Amino acid sequence: MKIENTVFSLPLNRQESWLKAIAGAFAERLGQNRYPLRFSIVDLTAEQVLIESTILTFDSQHRYAKTLSSIEILEPRQKTFQARPFGVVQIIPTGIRCEFGGFAGDATPVTNLLAAAADFLVTHPNAVNASELNEMASNILYVEGKSLDDFLLGHLGLLPTQSNRVGTFIDPTGVAYLDDVVNTLNAARAVKGIDCSLYMILERELGVKIEWSQSGCAVGTIVDPEAILEAVELLIARGVNAVGGVSVIHGVTHEMFSRHLRGEIPNPSGGVEAIITHLISKIFKLPTAHAPLPYYQSLKEKTTLNPRASAEFISTPHYFCVLKGLSRAPRLLSIPELNSVPAHLITLNNIGAIIVPASCLGGIPALVAEFSGIPLIAVTENQTILNVSNARMRMTNVNEVSSYPEAVGVVVALREGISLESLRRPIRSAQQVDRMV
């Protein structure tokens, strides 16, 4: 197995939804025995679309070759009706320096606010993880980013659960911090009552390294992804149904971390952490999340000048937030279609809105929203390093708002079945439809 970051430049021939327009060209460029762990439009012109993707290349005889040969983004399923309960999805992409969510857990207040306006809210760990803190509301479903994409593509259902048995893998490069990790596990058991007694140290170092993409996003690669698969297989054999990991992430410099603290660049380690969990999600369909071991503790210049970064400094393994999230994360179940699923499963049909930063409408959640006709709420004050706005994407389902409190108003209207058109002025008069000749 090999993981690498790639840029695809595809011709722009958009006569249908973005998802359909680029799927064929992307599949042709992707080739055989390659799976996209990460996928996003990061720029576009009148003639071309620029896509950044993290590609997993595998041998045709690999034990997971059949699983990896199924590429969900090439087979999207459309939402068929609005089911109850009414849910929304909150997306805070990692690695793009979000103004809300670019630091550890600082998007939690706006995420909880949005959750208060819906029956439930689905989000990914990046939105609420904050070292020792995870203060997400009780009606939030904690779903890893790749699994969340597959849920929105109509391939997964979510099964809310009371608790999970969480297993942990530890990168041997950080074995000097083993006591900190084990103390976190034991504290979670003794204080919070989380079932997380099993951990294992990987036999080989993962070789987790940061990289920067062409667009300036924080991404990365893993030298030995097989070590992760072997660890998760062993933990599953011991009865766990959720997996967390802590790894040493190489390549962060003092200058990078200082610039991140000042809000000048994305968190250097966020993107590669997502790649680790995307791999686990795809292969095993388990709740999963990751935390960085304090590999650059000597690089961290502690400061109280940026409250959004404060959670970075109150923990050594940054792992309790992961345990708390995974302890009641929903189980992930493959579904054959959206029209007939068990009533106890939450599916794409329950999602009434997707909320994203207004400058990054090229990710799978935004593309799915257009494909399925789901209102896409684009928040302009959550600025990022990207410029993939609706002024460039020209999608008809976008409701642009200036702030998260304004987004809440849109969610409430959608939940109550109030036409957004009726809340704005002027209101156009009813239109007569002519008979077709």
Side-chain angles (χ1 to χ4, degrees):
M1 279 185 163
K2 181 180 179 181
I3 292 176
E4 57 186 342
N5 294 290
T6 307
V7 177
F8 297 90
S9 182
L10 306 179
L12 177 54
N13 181 22
R14 187 174 177 244
Q15 298 179 349
E16 48 191 338
S17 73
W18 277 106
L19 206 54
K20 284 293 188 180
I22 62 179
F26 179 70
E28 185 176 323
R29 293 286 302 278
L30 184 63
Q32 297 293 315
N33 298 328
R34 302 179 81 205
Y35 183 86
L37 289 172
R38 186 180 64 90
F39 174 99
S40 183
I41 297 172
V42 296
D43 202 2
L44 63 156
T45 67
E47 298 178 346
Q48 291 186 318
V49 178
L50 199 67
I51 292 172
E52 289 182 354
S53 185
T54 300
I55 304 298
L56 176 68
T57 303
F58 56 95
D59 187 270
S60 60
Q61 301 304 310
H62 193 277
R63 64 191 184 282
Y64 292 116
K66 183 177 180 181
T67 299
L68 292 167
S69 296
S70 173
I71 302 174
E72 295 82 2
I73 193 172
L74 303 181
E75 299 177 356
R77 298 168 181 169
Q78 283 184 309
K79 175 181 172 179
T80 55
F81 69 103
Q82 181 60 54
R84 291 188 176 184
F86 178 92
V88 298
V89 170
Q90 155 80 323
I91 300 295
I92 302 288
T94 189
I96 63 170
R97 206 205 64 202
C98 290
E99 193 68 22
F100 289 79
F103 294 90
D106 74 299
T108 302
V110 296
T111 303
N112 286 344
L113 180 65
L114 290 165
D119 294 327
F120 68 90
L121 179 143
V122 186
T123 197
H124 48 122
N126 186 59
V128 293
N129 277 357
S131 299
E132 297 304 291
L133 307 174
N134 184 328
E135 299 304 314
M136 62 182 180
S138 60
N139 66 330
I140 290 178
L141 299 179
Y142 182 91
V143 180
E144 193 278 332
K146 175 68 175 67
S147 295
L148 181 49
D149 286 347
D150 293 345
F151 165 76
L152 291 173
L153 287 163
H155 289 265
L156 286 182
L158 306 180
L159 178 62
T161 185
Q162 188 67 23
S163 65
N164 292 313
R165 189 181 196 196
V166 184
T168 300
F169 66 82
I170 302 168
D171 184 347
T173 313
V175 72
Y177 296 97
L178 179 61
D179 286 347
D180 295 293
V181 177
V182 174
N183 278 330
T184 301
L185 295 174
N186 286 337
R189 296 167 62 215
V191 178
K192 182 64 177 174
I194 297 173
D195 186 352
C196 58
S197 61
L198 298 180
Y199 72 91
M200 66 169 299
I201 302 171
L202 301 181
E203 291 186 356
R204 304 183 302 279
E205 294 181 4
L206 290 180
V208 181
K209 301 178 181 180
I210 69 160
E211 291 180 1
W212 297 95
S213 73
Q214 180 176 310
S215 65
C217 298
V219 290
T221 189
I222 307 164
V223 173
D224 191 356
E226 287 281 1
I228 297 176
L229 303 186
E230 293 166 7
V232 177
E233 288 168 349
L234 181 59
L235 289 168
I236 291 173
R238 293 294 300 272
V240 309
N241 37 47
V243 172
V246 287
S247 304
V248 173
I249 302 173
H250 301 279
V252 180
T253 66
H254 183 277
E255 180 188 7
M256 287 179 193
F257 192 76
S258 295
R259 293 187 65 196
H260 165 55
L261 286 183
R262 295 195 298 268
E264 297 173 2
I265 62 172
N267 182 340
S269 64
V272 73
E273 288 190 90
I275 293 168
I276 293 169
T277 57
H278 286 10
L279 175 64
I280 296 170
S281 287
K282 171 58 182 175
I283 298 293
F284 300 104
K285 292 183 174 57
L286 284 180
T288 185
H290 183 273
L293 282 170
Y295 55 96
Y296 52 82
Q297 194 78 350
S298 60
L299 304 178
K300 284 188 173 184
E301 49 186 81
K302 293 191 176 183
T303 176
T304 58
L305 297 179
N306 185 350
R308 294 179 298 165
S310 294
E312 292 269 1
F313 307 120
I314 64 172
S315 172
T316 298
H318 310 297
Y319 191 53
F320 180 73
C321 60
V322 168
L323 295 172
K324 189 173 179 183
L326 291 179
S327 68
R328 61 179 184 88
R331 307 284 173 87
L332 310 170
L333 300 180
S334 296
I335 54 176
E337 60 177 354
L338 284 165
N339 283 328
S340 56
V341 295
H344 60 278
L345 282 188
I346 290 171
T347 72
L348 174 62
N349 286 336
N350 292 100
I351 302 305
I354 298 174
I355 304 100
V356 298
S359 61
C360 54
L361 303 190
I364 290 177
L367 302 183
V368 163
E370 184 201 31
F371 177 70
S372 278
I374 298 172
L376 183 62
I377 304 173
V379 183
T380 60
E381 73 173 351
N382 196 357
Q383 299 176 4
T384 75
I385 63 171
L386 298 179
N387 182 24
V388 187
S389 65
N390 203 43
R392 307 182 75 189
M393 295 292 283
R394 300 177 183 271
M395 297 189 288
T396 60
N397 65 318
V398 175
N399 296 277
E400 195 166 279
V401 299
S402 62
S403 67
Y404 283 99
E406 188 178 347
V408 170
V410 176
V411 170
V412 171
L414 294 170
R415 184 195 69 194
E416 297 302 311
I418 299 172
S419 166
L420 297 179
E421 181 187 30
S422 70
L423 302 176
R424 299 188 174 104
R425 294 296 183 271
I427 298 179
R428 295 177 59 189
S429 180
Q431 294 179 295
Q432 179 178 331
V433 177
D434 295 330
R435 293 181 178 271
M436 296 182 64
V437 178

